[in-house]
Amino acid sequence: MLQEVVPMALAKRWTVDIFIDEQGDERRTRAEARLESQDRVGLAGIGTARRNPVDPEVPAIGDELAVSRALSDLAHQLLDAAAGDIEQHTHRRAHLRA
């Protein structure tokens, strides 16, 4: 029995670099999630967190909040880009959900 040989798909690599800036005097944390890929150029999500003055200082919590918001922002931008690509190819409005 002969088996059909299917060429292996080329693997793609997308990298997200996350940059965190803690501004202690202002009790703020800012994060930027930048997507690097051959297909997408220039997508970057931004997220911020602010500590209430009465809350204890736990920098890891600000980092987690700011990074999660930056990744969420990036995810929404990527979803919007996918919808735009679908619309360009189908000439119909795309309805995508997160």
Side-chain angles (χ1 to χ4, degrees):
M1 174 187 243
L2 293 176
Q3 292 184 347
E4 180 180 349
V5 177
V6 178
M8 189 156 192
L10 293 176
K12 293 182 181 182
R13 181 178 179 135
W14 289 17
T15 304
V16 175
D17 290 316
I18 298 174
F19 302 91
I20 302 170
D21 179 25
E22 295 177 1
Q23 301 159 347
D25 294 347
E26 299 177 25
R27 298 180 304 274
R28 294 181 188 268
T29 303
R30 180 182 184 278
E32 182 175 348
R34 295 182 196 162
L35 175 64
E36 297 288 333
S37 77
Q38 294 177 350
D39 301 329
R40 291 276 165 216
V41 177
L43 286 184
I46 303 295
T48 59
R50 185 185 62 83
R51 181 176 59 85
N52 188 313
V54 298
D55 289 343
E57 187 173 339
V58 184
I61 294 172
D63 292 352
E64 292 166 348
L65 285 170
V67 169
S68 69
R69 291 170 177 160
L71 289 170
S72 178
D73 183 31
L74 178 61
H76 284 95
Q77 290 181 44
L78 196 54
L79 193 61
D80 287 345
D85 290 345
I86 290 169
E87 291 172 358
Q88 184 179 5
H89 285 84
T90 64
H91 306 290
R92 291 185 170 184
R93 180 114 170 99
H95 301 280
L96 303 179
R97 297 181 190 187

